[in-house]
């Protein structure tokens, strides 16, 4: 079986207002034949009523915008589509600065980010902000779509100038893979089909790039991490002595016979067997959901982590975290929160705000200590019991945390461990 065929690619789209994001998503869905006929008929009718020639592609996503304008905030709109080569989930997030938290939410699980730039305007403040968030969230692949090439006569110089601007700015950030594609979402150039108007562009169109993006190496296959979600003890006649630990592999590869350590207790054992949804398996890797049986009877509960004995995460109560504040109410100094990390849950306090990042200029501000909605800052957090962590750059699963307000039970912040 071709691995790519079963692989799911999640990507997020970011661009400032009127960069053509809705049109681009519409064009992707329309040209890849991913739209139901009744949807298509409805949009054809609406386009005709509005006096458009042909189809207004932006209407595929604009229903959501209408709701937004009525004051119903849609955090992130997810769109699903499939081609013969791959399945896709698009996280469509609003681009304004007041929706920074939405972009962080939508991008947190993405394999790739599409950043749209208007060919007439080049790299602007919002481009920098979106790229910074993509870099902060460690999105491995960034595809820069330079849109509206039809409005600059499909000229290569206009394209190259923006590529230079973007590369100059992005060189300060850690983004492993950046690709540039000149497109016209409105006319369809280089979105699904190659452009006849830009014969100077030798690369692949956007859809082909998304279909062939190599994402299996983005998962950390080195550091074996298995946060335990629940203990399985069926105690049925067939499984009287069965005891296994269920969860989702958060990194690395586990094999039957591996020597493991259970954290935080430090007890060691060997893997007696691994069971998946279809029965026993010899090995399992991220992001599979499995259960692990051990040779020894050890006291293990939810929130513990099974790791390979010769490769362990850091167990600590003191974290340095890049935090995005998601809540309307500002952060309260020394207030207690519940911190969620993999399947672990502890009490925590924000000890110190080290510096805040000005999302427009990307400068650090060590003097401003107030943390309000949509703001990003570096903080020190202390937990009541140790968490088993890896830096976010090495493992997005074991390197991320969520803070929950104990009084309201609302999620107030999402963080990346440094």
């Amino acid at each position: 079986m071709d691995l790519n065929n079963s692989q799911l690619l999640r990507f997020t789209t970011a661009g400032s207002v009127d960069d053509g994001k809705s049109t681009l998503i519409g064009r992707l869905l329309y040209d890849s034949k991913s739209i139901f006929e009744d949807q298509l008929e409805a949009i054809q009718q609406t386009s005709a009523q509005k006096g458009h020639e042909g189809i207004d592609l932006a209407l595929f996503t604009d229903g959501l915008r209408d709701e937004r304008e009525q004051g119903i905030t849609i955090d992130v709109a997810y769109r699903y589509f499939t081609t013969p080569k791959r399945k896709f989930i698009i996280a469509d997030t609003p681009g304004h600065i007041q929706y920074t938290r939405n972009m962080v939410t939508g991008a947190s699980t993405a394999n790739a980010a599409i950043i749209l730039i208007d060919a007439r305007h080049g790299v602007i403040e919002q481009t920098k902000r979106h790229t910074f968030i993509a870099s902060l969230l460690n999105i491995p692949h960034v595809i820069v779509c330079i849109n509206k090439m039809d409005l600059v006569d499909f000229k290569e110089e206009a394209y190259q100038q923006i590529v230079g601007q973007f590369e100059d700015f992005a060189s300060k950030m850690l983004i492993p893979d950046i690709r540039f594609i000149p497109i016209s979402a409105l006319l369809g150039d280089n979105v699904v089909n190659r452009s006849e108007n830009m014969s100077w562009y030798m690369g692949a169109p956007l859809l082909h790039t998304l279909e062939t993006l190599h994402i299996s190496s983005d998962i950390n296959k080195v550091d074996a991490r298995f946060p335990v979600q629940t203990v399985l003890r069926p105690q049925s006649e067939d499984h009287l002595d069965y005891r296994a630990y269920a969860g989702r592999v958060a990194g690395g590869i586990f094999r039957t016979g591996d020597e493991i350590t259970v954290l935080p207790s430090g007890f060691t054992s060997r893997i007696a067997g691994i069971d998946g949804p279809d029965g026993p398996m010899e090995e399992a890797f991220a992001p599979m959901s499995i259960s692990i049986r051990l040779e020894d009877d050890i006291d293990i509960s939810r929130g513990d982590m099974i790791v390979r004995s010769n490769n362990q995460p850091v167990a600590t109560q003191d974290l340095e975290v890049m935090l995005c504040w998601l809540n309307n109410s500002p952060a309260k100094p020394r207030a207690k929160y519940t911190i969620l990390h993999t399947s672990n849950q502890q009490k925590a306090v924000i000890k110190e705000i080290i510096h805040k990042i000005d999302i427009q200029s990307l400068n650090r501000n060590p003097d401003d200590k107030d943390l309000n909605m949509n703001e990003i800052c570096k903080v020190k957090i202390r937990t009541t019991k140790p968490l088993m962590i890896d830096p976010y750059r090495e493992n997005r699963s074991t390197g991320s945390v969520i803070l929950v307000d104990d009084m309201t039970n609302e999620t107030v912040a999402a963080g990346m461990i440094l």
Side-chain angles (χ1 to χ4, degrees):
M1 180 172 136
D2 175 22
L3 182 64
N4 273 357
N5 194 34
S6 61
Q7 268 188 332
L8 172 68
L9 178 85
R10 294 170 178 267
F11 66 92
T12 181
T13 54
S16 51
V17 187
D18 296 330
D19 276 349
K21 202 152 58 95
S22 298
T23 307
L24 176 65
I25 295 173
R27 174 62 71 190
L28 262 179
L29 299 174
Y30 182 63
D31 281 7
S32 63
K33 315 260 187 303
S34 302
I35 294 158
F36 296 118
E37 282 185 9
D38 56 342
Q39 273 180 305
L40 196 53
E41 279 170 23
I43 283 166
Q44 280 167 336
Q45 282 174 357
T46 312
S47 301
Q49 284 163 5
K50 289 188 169 184
H52 295 298
E53 285 180 29
I55 290 183
D56 181 358
L57 295 163
L59 292 171
F60 291 121
T61 55
D62 270 7
L64 302 167
R65 188 180 300 160
D66 293 343
E67 288 167 3
R68 256 186 225 141
E69 282 167 5
Q70 289 164 19
I72 306 164
T73 304
I74 291 199
D75 282 341
V76 186
Y78 292 98
R79 291 241 171 295
Y80 304 84
F81 75 104
T82 304
T83 69
K85 294 192 179 153
R86 215 174 222 170
K87 299 183 181 76
F88 298 94
I89 298 178
I90 311 173
D92 180 20
T93 57
H96 310 292
I97 192 159
Q98 69 265 36
Y99 291 115
T100 300
R101 61 175 187 167
N102 309 44
M103 191 179 164
V104 168
T105 308
S108 59
T109 55
N111 307 99
I114 293 178
I115 293 180
L116 268 168
I117 297 179
D118 187 320
R120 299 166 302 171
H121 303 146
V123 173
I124 58 173
E125 288 285 353
Q126 277 189 317
T127 315
K128 294 180 177 179
R129 185 161 55 81
H130 296 151
T131 309
F132 168 71
I133 291 173
S135 155
L136 185 70
L137 290 167
N138 206 29
I139 297 177
H141 309 277
V142 169
I143 302 166
V144 181
C145 287
I146 298 167
N147 190 23
K148 306 198 179 181
M149 287 298 294
D150 49 312
L151 300 181
V152 292
D153 301 327
F154 299 106
K155 284 195 176 125
E156 185 178 2
E157 303 82 68
Y159 165 74
Q160 293 295 359
Q161 191 180 353
I162 294 172
V163 169
Q165 281 178 350
F166 191 93
E167 284 181 334
D168 184 43
F169 156 74
S171 62
K172 305 179 187 79
M173 298 181 190
L174 286 166
I175 302 173
D177 176 27
I178 302 179
R179 297 158 194 235
F180 298 91
I181 306 176
I183 66 167
S184 165
L186 188 67
L187 303 178
D189 292 74
N190 283 337
V191 178
V192 172
N193 305 310
R194 286 195 69 84
S195 168
E196 291 175 8
N197 296 307
M198 292 180 276
S199 52
W200 46 264
Y201 171 70
M202 306 311 288
L206 175 62
L207 184 64
H208 181 76
T209 305
L210 290 169
E211 284 178 334
T212 54
L213 214 52
H214 181 64
I215 58 171
S216 47
S217 60
D218 298 339
I219 295 168
N220 183 329
K221 296 257 174 47
V222 178
D223 306 313
R225 307 284 184 258
F226 184 72
V228 175
Q229 287 186 16
T230 187
V231 181
L232 301 179
R233 295 206 60 196
Q235 294 177 321
S236 60
E237 283 183 26
D238 304 340
H239 301 90
L240 271 177
D241 297 322
Y242 184 90
R243 179 197 284 258
Y245 308 99
R248 188 176 184 193
V249 182
I253 302 170
F254 288 92
R255 296 183 178 90
T256 304
D258 278 354
E259 191 177 307
I260 61 93
T261 298
V262 179
L263 297 175
S265 67
F267 289 124
T268 57
S269 182
R270 284 187 185 278
I271 295 179
I274 299 171
D275 298 310
D278 301 321
M281 315 163 66
E282 274 306 302
E283 63 173 34
F285 49 85
M288 290 180 175
S289 294
I290 56 161
S291 62
I292 289 179
R293 289 174 280 120
L294 300 180
E295 289 180 357
D296 303 282
D297 210 354
I298 299 175
D299 183 16
I300 300 176
S301 55
R302 179 183 170 84
D304 291 352
M305 192 181 284
I306 295 174
V307 301
R308 268 215 299 279
S309 297
N310 59 357
N311 174 339
Q312 299 190 16
V314 176
T316 179
Q317 290 174 260
D318 292 293
L319 316 175
E320 274 202 1
V321 176
M322 206 55 130
L323 209 60
C324 176
W325 199 256
L326 309 175
N327 199 262
N328 290 317
S329 309
K332 299 187 279 288
R334 310 297 298 181
K336 281 205 169 63
Y337 296 99
T338 295
I339 190 166
L340 308 182
H341 172 261
T342 64
S343 56
N344 202 340
Q345 191 170 322
Q346 302 293 345
K347 293 283 183 256
V349 63
I350 299 175
K351 274 175 62 180
E352 183 191 344
I353 293 175
I354 301 168
H355 61 244
K356 203 147 78 173
I357 290 176
D358 180 337
I359 297 196
Q360 292 290 29
S361 65
L362 307 187
N363 292 331
R364 296 173 178 182
N365 183 352
D367 303 323
D368 185 353
K369 301 293 185 184
D370 294 328
L371 186 50
N372 299 302
M373 187 164 77
N374 293 312
E375 293 184 330
I376 292 176
C377 67
K378 186 177 174 183
V379 301
K380 285 185 178 173
I381 291 177
R382 171 101 186 171
T383 62
T384 47
K385 288 186 182 165
L387 300 178
M388 285 65 77
I389 61 162
D390 295 292
Y392 182 82
R393 288 219 163 266
E394 289 173 19
N395 190 323
R396 283 165 86 177
S397 296
T398 54
S400 56
V401 294
I402 286 172
L403 293 185
V404 176
D405 186 317
D406 287 351
M407 304 287 285
T408 61
N409 226 13
E410 289 178 348
T411 300
V412 292
M416 287 70 72
I417 298 169
L418 300 169

